[in-house]
Amino acid sequence: MTPVSGGDGAVDERGRPSAAVASGERGATRIADRVVAKIAAQAAREALGPLPPEAASPHATVVVHHESVRVRVHLELDYPCDIGDRCFQVRRQVVQRVRALVGMDVPEVAVHVERLHPAPSHRAAQGRTR
């Protein structure tokens, strides 16, 4: 019995048809939205560093459209801090990590600060002024 090749007559060393398939004819890889959201949340954690013990971990929701993703990150911060700079760091890290790990463009990262946690020294100072 003669092996049938993939149209070009090429066979491998075992006599099987070679698997040379043009890139346009191959399948596609789809990354689930929840995976992209987990990557975004992890990137936010990386950007924030240590948080107060009572703070919840950042979480993210995403909307994926073709090769781009819009991200919404919800997080809690220590206070006092430069809130604008912390949000900028989160946006930058989310964009970089999502691009690097899933190859998607990230045109928008909305950061929602859900809660501020005063530092212990700041809480004590507030208590003295009341």
Side-chain angles (χ1 to χ4, degrees):
M1 187 177 211
T2 306
V4 178
S5 69
D8 62 357
V11 292
D12 66 12
E13 63 277 353
R14 294 183 184 169
R16 295 180 294 189
S18 65
V21 178
S23 62
E25 296 176 12
R26 293 183 203 139
T29 302
R30 179 166 176 348
I31 299 171
D33 293 4
R34 70 175 185 262
V35 172
V36 179
K38 285 184 179 186
I39 291 169
Q42 177 61 37
R45 281 191 288 279
E46 293 168 3
L48 292 173
L51 289 174
E54 63 274 8
S57 290
H59 67 278
T61 56
V62 299
V63 176
V64 177
H65 185 69
H66 299 294
E67 294 299 316
S68 71
V69 58
R70 296 187 187 284
V71 180
R72 180 165 292 174
V73 178
H74 301 267
L75 49 84
E76 299 180 9
L77 296 174
D78 52 344
Y79 184 81
C81 71
D82 184 343
I83 296 170
D85 182 61
R86 300 287 302 271
C87 292
F88 172 79
Q89 298 299 329
V90 167
R91 282 187 198 97
R92 185 176 69 190
Q93 184 72 2
V94 168
V95 168
Q96 289 174 349
R97 298 296 282 162
V98 170
R99 277 187 188 151
L101 294 174
V102 297
M104 292 181 175
D105 185 37
V106 187
E108 178 183 336
V109 178
V111 179
H112 294 265
V113 178
E114 301 286 334
R115 183 180 217 178
L116 296 174
H117 296 273
S121 61
H122 191 69
R123 275 185 245 152
Q126 284 180 333
R128 281 186 246 130
T129 60
R130 290 183 187 183

